[in-house]
Every structure is written in structure tokens, then in C-alpha cells.
Amino acid sequence: MNTSLSWIKSYVPDLDVTPQEYCDAMTLSGTKVEGCECLDRDLDKIVVGEVKSCVPHPDSDHLHVCMVDVGSGEPIQIVCGAPNVAAGQKVPVVLDGGRVAGSKDGNAAEGGILIKKGKLRGVESNGMICSIEELGSTRELYPEAPEYGIYVFPEDTPVGADAVELLGLHDAVIEYEITSNRVDCYSAIGIAREAAATFGKEFHKPEPKETGNSEDVNDYISVEVEDPQLCPRFTARVVKNVKLAPSPKWMQRRLASNGIRPINNVVDITNYIMEEYGQPMHSYDYDTIRGHKIVVKCAQDGETFRTLDGQDRKLDQNVLMICDGERYVGIAGIMGGEDSMITDDVKTVLFEAACFDGTNVRLSSKRIGLQTDASQKFDKGLDPNTAREAIDRACELMEEFGAGEVVGGCVDVYPVKREPVEIPFEPEKINRLLGTSFSEEEMIGYFEAADLIYDRERRVVIAPTFRQDLHRMCDLAEEVARFSGYDRIPTTLPAGEATAGGLQFAMQLQGIARDTAESCGFSQGYCYSFESPKVFDRLLFPEDAPERKTIEIRNPLGPDFSIMRTTSLNGMLVSLATNYNRRNKSVRLYELGNVYIPKSLPVTELPDERMKFTLGMYGEGDFFDLKGVVELFFDKLGLKEKAEYRTDEKLPYFHPGRQAKIWYQGVPVGEIGEIHPKAAANYSIKERVYAAVLDMKNLEAFATFDRKYAGIARFPAVTRDISMIVPKAVTAAEIEKVIAQRGGKLLEHYELFDLYEGAPILPGFKSMAYSLTFRHKEKTLEEAEVASAMKKILNGLENMQIELRK
């Protein structure tokens, strides 16, 4: 929405502000200004001059030497190259030291172009005679200006007057960003009403005068509306003896400031009413309306209609049409037809101002592929009570311009009148909502400034029908806030019970997983939840594997994305394979994502969505490096006991001798291992690949953020080393379990520091060495206490066929 500042001031005559002050205040009161163009920004020292004489330049074929009276005494000499310059003309003249906006081709300079006294081909020139483009404007705003040449004022223009003021260029064009709920502000009157309320000035709304001769318009035209839901109001008036002519300059310039090209007085008036009231209008050649009848009804499927732009539009049964007695003459709310358009031969004009259903106009506009200024206003939902006032204003302008004789009366089809909305006035709630202490009278003053009516007896605020955004108390609070000034609203804390924010426990655990993986050199990846049934063959799952029972997608993107995944390994191996094939030598990736385990097939309820923490790597590192990452994660989760790594259950996708299922306190929490060479080959990876998959849902039951810290030990520790010959079938976990159980409270720490196989160790055995640390919290340990603990540990190890090395 655009308006010129002078247009707004015509409704608010006491508005004495600069464009910048206006823009700032309007934005703060809720009518956001998107941009402002000051028309006189680069213009200085430009007056009206009279060309006294004009002779050819002695050394040029196209230049002229002019003597120009600028009202300062003696005429000044100016060299001019315009083809239309002639003696006797009144022209805009830039004096020595003045500025213009640009050259004749419209190329503007930053801050304008400085005009100085000088010589052109040896002849002195003391200024410049201007074209309209050099004054920073265009022929769209000033159609009387010649296409090539200087601008010429009327003969009665006073010499020496301010040319910029006479041209109306001491003005600014304001661009607004209007929200769709403020339909009233898609009009100059609506913007002016907001400006009056913002600056506390009196608002002078146009009041159309009664027009029309003694005839009755009902003798000329009849109107029938078949669907009042789609057309709640339709008004029509007739003007005869029409005289087409250019509209006044003030109207042309206001239309041009809104980007509308002036055409003639009749068309310009309908466009002007659309911008002034926000009410689109349409004019028909009355003599082309067959049967002198208007019918508003929907079209039929497959019909076509030629609009004013000469295009054939395909219609359907949902498109509302304006018809005469025999045919269509316009698409309701969008555009009229070619057959009834205003031509130079028009004698009688039928004016239409109606209100159409916004949703229907928007959908119809989209279906037929035609959007106009009118449809953009209609699709926001207009106020039907504006239609009569707008059409009366158009007829008033027709009489004022001498453009025709208005026929008396108005055809007005308005079966159900829209009534204003009444909102209870609750000042205490408004103050409580805003955190303010405004008095009732202050609030009422803001309401009345915005044309809201307050009924003191019933204590209700009556919102006019053009304010379709006002429905309840909070809307009234917004009116108080924006017109009082948001800067007057103090900063307060919201009232109510305090709420402690934070992440859910499961999300905190996922954060720990990310931190752990990334601190160990892993990068996060995201994999598809949709997969192909073929992944189970690539991962060597047997035919009866429970993972093959999947949820099939009803409308998949393709066969490769047809099921919901039940394992996260495929996505991880695809990502690792992509990196491997792009010759990345060492890669570590992790993913936090769900797998989807159906509770029954066919699906009758939502599946079990289990979050999996998947780690994958190749290159630098081996099985034990990955196991260290897993154990670091367990430690950060606060798991107090050591996890158990079992190898009795074989997983098909892992190497049979390099895999383990991870248990914690009798609950499976994950799996780890080297990917089976055949499975790795299926993904075209020719290196050893390691992966671990942890079940976040099962781990959640054991995780804790409770931490207890002990003071620094005050008593010395005692260390003992034991070196053992161990059968290869005995695992380190089994040995550590015995050490932990039999070491008692005195055992503070134990650690495997040597593992060896080979001569002189017999085949089937291995050498393992542990360092054990003992400490008493309240005294210095005695040798007998340490010996007793060691004896218990060694007895337990002997029961496992383990011997001490000698």
C-alpha cells in the first residue's frame, strides 16, 4: 500500500510533520512504514523563469542561447539543448549553485547534480532549464510533460515562484506493510485515520454530497443476486451524458503515486475510489448491458469468458460472475469483460460497488490465473458497509468534474446488514495484561481517536464494521498499547507460577552421547528412516530374523525406501562406504536415530520407536578403541558398575570372533564388533570396519546425574602386581569380576597392564598381569590386611584353572 504524504494531510490538515517524523511515529503505532521516497530530496534553487528570447547557438546545430527572466531583475543567459524551447515559455530554471535530481534519461546522482555557472562551446550559461525527469519525476506523474524536452508551465504561472512547490514535489511517497487483518488500512482513508490517532489530530473524512437528478435509477437498471453468501451487497448507480476527458492533475498524481496509470476521468475515478476507500469499483458501458439487468450468479463448468485484457479465461461452477440479461459481463471481484468496457464512444456509465466473499475471490483468482488490484483487496474480506459510501463518492466526483449527469437514487441489494461488534470494556484486565496503570478516561480517549465508540451506560466498546480485527479484550489492549506508545509500557515480569525450564532427561542423555562421540573424533551423520528390504541380505541376516518383520510404507518414494528401518547399521555402513569410495583414509561417524519395531503385523498400533546411538569407524583405530569410546560414554552416564561383554550369542553382521553383546545388570544395552568381511564387501569397503549400537531407551533406566565426590586420601596406598597363566577361554571380564568381588572394601583400583601369547607360554594359554591398589580410608594399611585380601583373590582365581607365573 502506497500513499503520498500530501494525500494523508488532505484528511488530517493539522498534520505538520516531516516525512521522517511521520514514518517513525506510524511504525511505532502499528502501521509499519516499509519505505519513504522524498520527491524533492535532491532539488534546490529551482524557480519559474520566462524565456524572453531564444536564438540558435553560434557554434552548434542543436543548442540555443536563451535570455530568461527569473524574477530577480535582469534576465540571465542560459544555453539550452532542448528541442522544444521557445520564447514566451514559462519553464523551471535551476539557478547557479542549485541542484537537480538527474539527467534527461533519468540517471540520478547521489545528492543530486550541482549546477554551476560556466561556458558551453564558448557561450556563457548561468543555469539550466529542466525537463520533468531532471526534477526527479516521470511522465507518469506529469503526462503533460513532453517526451523529449523541457517542462513548460501554463502561461499564467508567476515568474520567480518556487517551481518545486508548483509541481507538488514538496512531497513524499510512503510505502506501508499492512497485515491482512487490517483491511481498513488498504485505503488512504484508513491510513489517514491511523495518522490522526497517532498524532492526536482531527480526522476529516470525506462526506459525499447527495447527487442525482429527479430520475429514478431503478427505471434504468435492475439487480438480482442469486447467492447472497458470495455477494452480501451489490450497489449500482447510473451516470448519463458522459464526457470523457483527462482527470484533474491532483487525481492523476495521487494515482501515479500508487503506481496506477491515469487513463480518463471515468476510469480514474473508479481507481481513485479503490485507493481512497479500499473499495474496488467497476464501470460498464450502460448501452452494452443487454436487458438493462444485472444478475450475480456462478458460472458453469467448462465455460470461457474474455476479460478486459483480451484473454480467454476458463470458468467453473465456483467462479462468481456478473451477468446482464443474456451473457457474462465481468468476473466478480477480479476483472470486467471486453464487451462492456468503457470506450471513447460511451454515453452512459453504470457504476458498480459490491462486496464479494474474500475466500471465493481468492480461489477463483488462482484457478483462472488472474490477479488484479481489486482481487487483492477483495480476498482479504471487505466491509460491505463501505460500498454505498464509495459509489456515492464516485458520483460526487463525476458531477464535480463535469463528467456527466448522475441519475437519482441507487440500486442497493443488501439482504443481511453487517452489524458492529460490541466488546465489554474491562480496564482492569487491560492494565493487568499490559502491566500498566492507565485510567479509564485515557483508554477511552485512545478508542475514540481510532473511531471506536464507547457506550458508557453499558460499558462496551463498539467496533465499526471496517475494524474487522477487533473481537475481544486483548484487541482493545493492543489499541491502548500502540496509541499510548509502546515506550510507556514498563518492563514487568509475567505473573503466575514459576516454571523451571530444561531439556527432558532423554534429550540430556542424547547430548552426552554427542559430546562423547565428538570428543573422540566422531562426526555426526543423519540417515534415512526409510530403507529397502534388500538391506537384510547385505547385512547377512538369516531368513527368519525378527529384524525382517518391518512396517511397509503405503506410498513409498520407490522400492529402495519402502520399509521403516529396524536396524541402524545399514545407514551407518552406507555413509562409511561413501567416504571410503571417496578415498577418505580414516573416518569416524555417529548417528542418533530411531528404529521402528512393529508390535504387530499388519500394523494395528504405533510401533516401538527406539533411539539408537550408532558408532562406526574404519582406518585408524581398532575394536578396543571403539570399546573405549563406549565405556567412556557409560562412565559419563553415571553407570556405577562395569558393563558385561558377552560373546555367547553370535550376531550375523559381525565377525564371529570379534563381537560382543553388551549387558548391564542383566539388561541388554548394546552390541559391538568388527563388521563381517562379507557384509563389508557388500558395501564395497575393503578395510576392517568397526561398529557399536547402543540402546538409549534401556540405558536411560540406569543413567544418573547424581555424583558424589570424596576428599583426597589421607593415607598411603599399597600396590600388588599379579602375573598369571590363564586359559584362552577365560576372559578378562571373568577375572575382573573375581578380583572385584573378593578384593573387598580395601580394593581401590585394579588394571590390566600386560597381555602376552607365545613362547614360552604353552599353546591354549595366555599371560595376563594386573596391578591392584589397596587403601584404607581411616588408617594406614597393615601387611596382614593386604595379604588377607590377596589370598581371597588368588583362591578365587585358582578355581578358574589360573596359575601364578613363577
Side-chain angles (χ1 to χ4, degrees):
M1 178 66 194
N2 292 358
T3 67
S4 63
L5 186 55
S6 61
W7 195 351
I8 301 303
K9 289 182 177 180
S10 69
Y11 305 123
V12 191
D14 297 333
L15 187 61
D16 185 17
V17 293
T18 65
Q20 188 61 53
E21 292 170 341
Y22 174 84
C23 295
D24 291 344
M26 292 294 285
T27 297
L28 288 175
S29 67
T31 308
K32 183 183 177 184
V33 173
E34 189 71 16
C36 174
E37 179 187 1
C38 294
L39 302 182
D40 61 353
R41 180 183 58 185
D42 299 326
L43 307 181
D44 187 29
K45 297 179 70 175
I46 303 176
V47 300
V48 176
E50 181 179 1
V51 181
K52 292 296 186 179
S53 65
C54 179
V55 298
H57 192 287
D59 195 24
S60 173
D61 294 334
H62 68 279
L63 297 178
H64 299 84
V65 180
C66 304
M67 298 302 296
V68 184
D69 180 8
V70 294
S72 60
E74 292 294 325
I76 61 175
Q77 180 173 288
I78 297 177
V79 177
C80 179
N84 64 326
V85 65
Q89 292 176 335
K90 301 288 183 67
V91 294
V93 177
V94 186
L95 302 177
D96 179 30
R99 288 183 179 272
V100 292
S103 60
K104 291 183 180 180
D105 60 3
N107 294 324
E110 184 67 28
I113 298 175
L114 179 64
I115 303 301
K116 291 185 177 181
K117 183 187 303 183
K119 290 185 178 182
L120 289 176
R121 295 202 177 181
V123 176
E124 184 177 333
S125 182
N126 299 294
M128 186 176 79
I129 304 175
C130 306
S131 67
I132 198 65
E133 287 81 9
E134 288 165 332
L135 294 174
S137 191
T138 64
R139 295 185 66 250
E140 291 183 355
L141 279 170
Y142 299 87
E144 72 276 13
E147 186 174 358
Y148 300 104
I150 59 173
Y151 184 83
V152 180
F153 286 105
E155 292 181 1
D156 58 350
T157 306
V159 173
D162 184 348
V164 177
E165 182 176 354
L166 290 175
L167 288 168
L169 292 174
H170 287 312
D171 201 358
V173 176
I174 315 295
E175 180 185 358
Y176 308 89
E177 181 183 325
I178 307 299
T179 55
S180 58
N181 66 324
R182 289 304 306 273
V183 184
D184 57 303
C185 288
Y186 284 91
S187 66
I189 288 176
I191 296 292
R193 184 185 289 111
E194 290 289 303
T198 299
F199 292 96
K201 303 295 182 181
E202 190 174 349
F203 173 54
H204 294 265
K205 181 184 176 184
E207 297 294 340
K209 300 175 182 178
E210 184 176 347
T211 56
N213 57 23
S214 59
E215 297 179 277
D216 186 356
V217 70
N218 292 286
D219 297 334
Y220 282 78
I221 194 74
S222 64
V223 176
E224 178 186 346
V225 178
E226 293 189 359
D227 193 340
Q229 295 294 325
L230 298 182
C231 179
R233 190 175 194 181
F234 193 102
T235 65
R237 296 195 70 175
V238 173
V239 181
K240 64 180 186 178
N241 301 325
V242 172
K243 301 173 184 176
L244 291 183
S247 54
K249 287 185 172 56
W250 64 265
M251 178 176 283
Q252 294 184 27
R253 289 168 188 170
R254 287 183 180 179
L255 290 174
S257 70
N258 279 33
I260 299 175
R261 181 174 61 88
I263 297 175
N264 57 50
N265 48 9
V266 174
V267 176
D268 290 355
I269 284 173
T270 59
N271 286 333
Y272 181 78
I273 294 301
M274 180 173 67
E275 298 303 313
E276 184 177 43
Y277 281 86
Q279 170 66 55
M281 286 185 59
H282 191 69
S283 56
Y284 303 92
D285 186 338
Y286 173 79
D287 295 325
T288 65
I289 302 299
R290 298 177 184 176
H292 294 166
K293 181 180 181 180
I294 292 293
V295 180
V296 183
K297 63 180 181 180
C298 289
Q300 299 297 319
D301 288 338
E303 293 182 313
T304 59
F305 175 68
R306 177 162 294 185
T307 48
L308 279 170
D309 57 1
Q311 299 293 317
D312 290 328
R313 309 290 176 176
K314 188 175 182 180
L315 310 176
D316 60 44
Q317 62 180 356
N318 296 312
V319 179
L320 190 66
M321 302 297 295
I322 310 297
C323 315
D324 60 14
E326 301 177 8
R327 56 182 181 164
Y328 298 138
V329 295
I331 305 176
I334 300 176
M335 184 177 280
E338 189 176 61
D339 293 339
S340 60
M341 65 185 295
I342 300 295
T343 65
D344 294 342
D345 300 326
V346 66
K347 301 299 181 184
T348 305
V349 170
L350 172 66
F351 280 130
E352 163 216 311
C355 183
F356 303 108
D357 179 71
T359 302
N360 179 264
V361 172
R362 182 174 64 253
L363 296 176
S364 297
S365 177
K366 185 176 181 180
R367 283 196 299 273
I368 68 176
L370 177 61
Q371 189 176 61
T372 61
D373 291 340
S375 69
Q376 289 178 348
K377 292 185 185 295
F378 275 120
D379 67 20
K380 295 172 178 63
L382 296 185
D383 175 20
N385 291 328
T386 305
R388 177 63 188 270
E389 187 176 350
I391 200 170
D392 288 346
R393 171 70 166 152
C395 291
E396 178 189 35
L397 292 173
M398 287 291 288
E399 284 195 352
E400 182 181 325
F401 297 167
E405 180 184 354
V406 179
V407 175
C410 175
V411 177
D412 189 355
V413 180
Y414 193 14
V416 181
K417 184 178 180 180
R418 179 177 294 180
E419 299 295 338
V421 175
E422 295 185 353
I423 307 171
F425 179 47
E426 302 169 296
E428 299 84 5
K429 288 186 178 180
I430 292 175
N431 276 324
R432 190 160 59 248
L433 179 64
L434 299 178
T436 55
S437 56
F438 293 117
S439 66
E440 289 189 21
E441 293 304 318
E442 281 183 285
M443 295 184 188
I444 294 170
Y446 297 135
F447 297 150
E448 292 177 345
D451 275 5
L452 309 183
I453 302 171
Y454 178 59
D455 188 328
R456 294 182 180 273
E457 293 184 0
R458 296 187 295 141
R459 289 183 65 80
V460 296
V461 176
I462 302 173
T465 53
F466 63 78
R467 287 300 302 271
Q468 300 180 39
D469 60 312
L470 301 181
H471 303 283
R472 51 189 67 85
M473 181 275 294
C474 59
D475 298 324
L476 296 181
E478 182 183 9
E479 297 298 293
V480 172
R482 67 192 188 94
F483 288 127
S484 66
Y486 290 109
D487 55 329
R488 291 184 59 190
I489 300 177
T491 301
T492 57
L493 293 173
E497 298 180 1
T499 303
L503 296 175
Q504 296 178 348
F505 187 69
M507 296 179 69
Q508 294 182 56
L509 299 185
Q510 293 174 31
I512 292 174
R514 292 188 187 93
D515 293 342
T516 303
E518 290 170 8
S519 68
C520 295
F522 287 77
S523 299
Q524 187 171 11
Y526 292 92
C527 303
Y528 289 110
S529 295
F530 301 163
E531 290 187 332
S532 167
K534 298 177 182 178
V535 302
F536 302 110
D537 294 331
R538 298 176 74 183
L539 290 171
L540 310 179
F541 278 99
E543 291 297 328
D544 59 348
E547 287 83 359
R548 290 182 180 268
K549 297 178 180 179
T550 60
I551 300 172
E552 295 185 1
I553 299 170
R554 183 176 298 173
N555 54 340
L557 298 174
D560 290 338
F561 302 94
S562 60
I563 62 170
M564 302 294 289
R565 67 176 181 176
T566 55
T567 175
S568 60
L569 273 178
N570 175 68
M572 176 58 66
L573 291 176
V574 168
S575 299
L576 291 173
T578 301
N579 280 273
Y580 178 80
N581 292 326
R582 292 180 182 175
R583 300 184 180 181
N584 291 325
K585 295 182 179 179
S586 182
V587 176
R588 294 187 174 195
L589 298 176
Y590 77 94
E591 182 204 8
L592 281 164
N594 288 335
V595 296
Y596 305 87
I597 311 300
K599 296 177 181 178
S600 61
L601 288 176
V603 176
T604 57
E605 57 182 318
L606 293 176
D608 181 14
E609 298 185 28
R610 304 191 72 85
M611 174 65 67
K612 298 290 186 179
F613 178 29
T614 308
L615 298 159
M617 55 183 279
Y618 70 81
E620 296 181 5
D622 57 15
F623 176 92
F624 297 103
D625 290 310
L626 186 59
K627 180 172 177 284
V629 176
V630 172
E631 292 181 342
L632 176 62
F633 175 55
F634 289 167
D635 182 64
K636 289 184 177 292
L637 292 185
L639 273 57
K640 298 178 181 179
E641 301 178 10
K642 283 197 172 186
E644 184 179 357
Y645 294 82
R646 298 181 183 176
T647 60
D648 50 345
E649 183 181 349
K650 299 300 181 181
L651 302 171
Y653 39 83
F654 283 137
H655 190 291
R658 299 166 189 160
Q659 60 167 281
K661 291 204 70 170
I662 309 173
W663 292 69
Y664 186 82
Q665 294 186 3
V667 176
V669 294
E671 54 196 41
I672 185 173
E674 178 186 328
I675 298 298
H676 197 290
K678 290 183 179 180
N682 290 337
Y683 288 90
S684 301
I685 305 177
K686 299 179 181 179
E687 286 196 26
R688 291 188 175 185
V689 186
Y690 303 94
V693 181
L694 305 178
D695 191 319
M696 296 294 288
K697 193 170 184 179
N698 285 349
L699 286 170
E700 185 178 338
F702 304 107
T704 177
F705 295 117
D706 295 335
R707 300 290 188 270
K708 293 183 179 180
Y709 295 91
I712 298 175
R714 295 182 297 165
F715 300 97
V718 176
T719 60
R720 293 288 187 271
D721 292 344
I722 53 175
S723 181
M724 304 166 286
I725 303 296
V726 182
K728 292 188 68 173
V730 178
T731 64
E734 293 173 308
I735 295 174
E736 290 171 1
K737 186 176 182 180
V738 171
I739 294 174
Q741 288 177 347
R742 293 179 173 261
K745 295 181 179 180
L746 297 181
L747 181 63
E748 183 180 74
H749 178 70
Y750 57 88
E751 181 180 2
L752 175 68
F753 68 87
D754 184 62
L755 176 63
Y756 173 74
E757 294 183 34
I761 306 301
L762 296 176
F765 292 87
K766 56 188 174 183
S767 171
M768 300 180 69
Y770 278 86
S771 175
L772 285 66
T773 302
F774 299 90
R775 191 194 306 269
H776 200 292
K777 296 180 180 179
E778 298 178 357
K779 66 174 185 177
T780 300
L781 280 174
E782 297 179 1
E783 177 63 27
E785 294 173 305
V786 177
S788 174
M790 286 296 297
K791 185 177 180 180
K792 293 179 181 178
I793 292 172
L794 295 174
N795 289 338
L797 294 174
E798 288 178 359
N799 296 333
M800 301 172 64
Q801 308 298 319
I802 296 175
E803 298 179 2
L804 290 179
R805 290 188 65 181
K806 297 179 181 179

